[in-house]
Amino acid sequence: QVQLVESGGGLVQAGGSLSLSCAASGRTFSDYAMGWFRQAPGKEREFVAVISRSGGRTNYANSVKGRFTSSRDNAKNTVYLQMNSLKPEDTAVYYCAAQAPGAGSFDYWGQGTQVTVSS
C-alpha cells in the first residue's frame, strides 16, 4: 500500500502560479512512477503529467505543456507540480497517483487538492 497526501492548492488569479506537493508513505517511493490528474466540476478526470521513477523523464498533457512542471525528490518521498501562467480552465481538483512497476494503471490515489483560478 502507498498513501498519498496532496497539498498546496488554493485560489489564485489568472496568470499566477501555484506549487502542489504530494507526500508518499508506505512503500519505497522510488519504485513508483507518479502521475498528476485533475477533475473539473462536471467533467471526467484527465491526465495532467507523469514523472518516471528516477525523475529523469516527464510527459505532459498538451493543455499544460510549457506551463506546468513536475519534479520529485525521492529522498523526501515527495512529488511536485509547479503550475505557472494559470488559466481559469485549470480550475479543478488535482490528484497525485502512484503506478507500480509493470502496472498498467495508477493504483494509488491521494484525496485531491482544490485549485481555483479566478479570471
Side-chain angles (χ1 to χ4, degrees):
Q1 288 283 343
V2 176
Q3 291 79 43
L4 303 171
V5 179
E6 302 96 336
S7 61
L11 173 64
V12 64
Q13 287 189 330
S17 298
L18 277 176
S19 181
L20 304 184
S21 299
C22 173
S25 62
R27 288 288 180 95
T28 304
F29 179 65
S30 57
D31 286 347
Y32 294 81
M34 297 298 296
W36 288 96
F37 295 79
R38 66 186 182 187
Q39 186 167 20
K43 294 189 176 182
E44 302 261 327
R45 185 170 60 195
E46 65 175 0
F47 166 78
V48 174
V50 62
I51 186 166
S52 63
R53 288 176 288 170
S54 68
R57 288 179 290 118
T58 53
N59 193 26
Y60 300 94
N62 288 335
S63 59
V64 307
K65 202 170 291 184
R67 299 187 298 122
F68 290 12
T69 302
S70 185
S71 61
R72 65 190 295 163
D73 186 338
N74 286 343
K76 295 183 178 180
N77 291 352
T78 303
V79 62
Y80 306 97
L81 185 67
Q82 177 64 41
M83 306 184 294
N84 299 328
S85 302
L86 283 161
K87 305 175 182 180
E89 51 264 42
D90 294 318
T91 295
V93 178
Y94 283 71
Y95 300 89
C96 68
Q99 182 181 45
S105 62
F106 288 86
D107 298 315
Y108 303 99
W109 294 82
Q111 83 289 349
T113 186
Q114 176 70 47
V115 171
T116 302
V117 184
S118 64
S119 56

